[in-house]
Amino acid sequence: ISAHFYCENYLSTPRCNYLPNPPKTYRHFVDDGIGSFTDKAHANSFLLFINSLSNDLQYTIEHPSSDGSLPFLDVLIHPDLSTSIYRKPTHTNLYLKHNSSTPTGTKISVIKSLTRRAYDLCSRQHLDAELDLVYRICLANGFPAHLTTTTMLKVRENILVPPVRPPKTDSSSLTVTLPYHPSLNQPLKKALRRHDVSLKNSSSPNLRCLLTQTKSSPPNNITPNVIYRVSCNECTASYIGQTKRPIEKRISEHEACYRLNNATDDATGNIKFAPALHALNSGHHIGWNSSEILTTTSSNSHLDLVEHAAINVLKPTLNRTDQISNINSLWNPLLQRITSSFRPKPSNITKFPN
């Protein structure tokens, strides 16, 4: 998106309005452009002009081939302005193999996307040839002939007579995301459906994910999306909480409530910060600096479930357990397993006096 905005600004500069001999037409998508010129010299002069606008973006030029056709993105434009699919000379026609360990819907989407692209981009005189090529490509990638033909015909029917889709309704069912397994996926999906639970598949880690790490982890004290534990230095009392923000900021709020004697809500009497209340009532010292990070989550949407598991399994004495959880009870058999994955580490907070 940012590249598209940059090119829009780059080619919308006021200098374009004063070009002595502008192209007849010119359109661009991100950094790919196509235009109509009187001859090669006219096109080359425009190339020199747009390359003079900025040193950050330099264009090259491609003239029509000997037969008059010109590629632009995935489209091959013919001299009569009809269009077909463009494939680079190095294109191998290799797609997802039918015998790969992936969901059936993902495999069928290969046939659907290639067929849909043919109908969307090809002119009538080139459509049959492209559909025949799509059929042969699917067979070469191991797809059964019957499945390929049936799916291609279904795409054609949906284009000619678009199906009427029912409006989406809010569903209260629980969604579980698990890696795909070829023999377990369908039985598991059926079993979960009986309990109003839908199953979605996540991508399994590939070799690139296992061997590379493009982002470095933040220091412990500013790590967000964490489940943390605060413990008393003088007894076994502890508290488990969650925060979407850096843990140091959240612990600072706990410590401030203790320091300012503000652990309860004056209007309702409800407990605002349980560790601060424990310290004020008992005279004990809380180990703010020694707070632990029990685990982190990849998304803040997972925090409620993981915190629920930590409180129910680890049973910290300062957490309230009389409140009704908003976590579906279907998760209860998995709570022990969730907490078994915890690898506690120090928060490395040093801002509070010992």
Side-chain angles (χ1 to χ4, degrees), residues 98-146:
H98 185 261
N99 62 357
S100 62
S101 181
T102 49
T104 303
T106 304
K107 299 174 186 177
I108 293 177
S109 67
V110 174
I111 308 174
K112 288 182 177 180
S113 60
L114 292 175
T115 306
R116 184 80 200 198
R117 183 175 70 157
Y119 281 102
D120 287 344
L121 300 183
C122 289
S123 299
R124 185 181 298 272
Q125 60 266 46
H126 303 291
L127 180 58
D128 289 341
E130 178 60 26
L131 292 176
D132 180 65
L133 179 59
V134 168
Y135 178 79
R136 289 186 281 111
I137 288 173
C138 292
L139 294 188
N141 284 276
F143 287 86
H146 175 70

Side-chain angles (χ1 to χ4, degrees), residues 179 202-210:
S202 60
S203 301
S204 299
N206 54 31
L207 192 61
R208 180 180 180 182
C209 294
L210 295 174

Side-chain angles (χ1 to χ4, degrees), residues 172-177 196-200 331:
S172 59
S173 64
L174 183 68
T175 299
V176 177
T177 303
D196 196 27
V197 178
S198 61
L199 174 64
K200 291 186 178 180
W331 284 104

Side-chain angles (χ1 to χ4, degrees), residues 6-20 22 46 49-50 52-53:
Y6 178 83
C7 292
E8 281 286 346
N9 179 68
Y10 174 78
L11 293 172
S12 299
T13 177
R15 292 180 61 186
C16 291
N17 299 329
Y18 300 100
L19 187 64
F46 182 74
F49 166 74
I50 61 174
S52 69
L53 299 179

Side-chain angles (χ1 to χ4, degrees), residues 225-259:
N225 294 336
V226 302
I227 304 299
Y228 63 89
R229 178 164 55 193
V230 180
S231 301
C232 178
N233 287 338
E234 301 176 43
C235 69
T236 58
S238 64
Y239 173 85
I240 290 176
Q242 61 157 286
T243 181
K244 303 173 185 177
R245 299 170 296 160
I247 183 174
E248 187 172 83
K249 186 178 289 292
R250 180 58 175 164
I251 299 301
S252 295
E253 294 173 344
H254 282 287
E255 190 274 339
C257 279
Y258 162 71
R259 181 165 32 86

Side-chain angles (χ1 to χ4, degrees), residues 224-344:
N225 294 336
V226 302
I227 304 299
Y228 63 89
R229 178 164 55 193
V230 180
S231 301
C232 178
N233 287 338
E234 301 176 43
C235 69
T236 58
S238 64
Y239 173 85
I240 290 176
Q242 61 157 286
T243 181
K244 303 173 185 177
R245 299 170 296 160
I247 183 174
E248 187 172 83
K249 186 178 289 292
R250 180 58 175 164
I251 299 301
S252 295
E253 294 173 344
H254 282 287
E255 190 274 339
C257 279
Y258 162 71
R259 181 165 32 86
L260 301 175
N261 194 11
N262 187 29
T264 57
D265 189 307
D266 293 336
T268 63
N270 292 335
I271 300 173
K272 294 166 61 176
F273 292 91
L277 182 64
H278 172 75
L280 291 170
N281 289 342
S282 66
H284 291 179
H285 293 88
I286 301 296
W288 308 116
N289 289 335
S290 57
S291 302
E292 293 178 283
I293 297 176
L294 296 180
T295 189
T296 61
T297 64
S298 57
S299 169
N300 57 37
S301 61
H302 301 160
L303 286 171
D304 286 343
L305 172 61
V306 181
E307 181 191 39
H308 175 72
I311 293 172
N312 278 267
V313 175
L314 302 180
K315 302 188 184 305
T317 56
L318 298 181
N319 286 82
R320 293 181 60 183
T321 58
D322 58 339
Q323 295 178 328
I324 298 176
S325 172
N326 59 352
I327 302 299
N328 196 303
S329 60
L330 291 172
W331 284 104
N332 288 348
L334 297 176
L335 299 184
Q336 184 71 46
R337 186 168 182 177
I338 292 173
T339 57
S340 67
S341 67
F342 289 180
R343 299 293 182 269

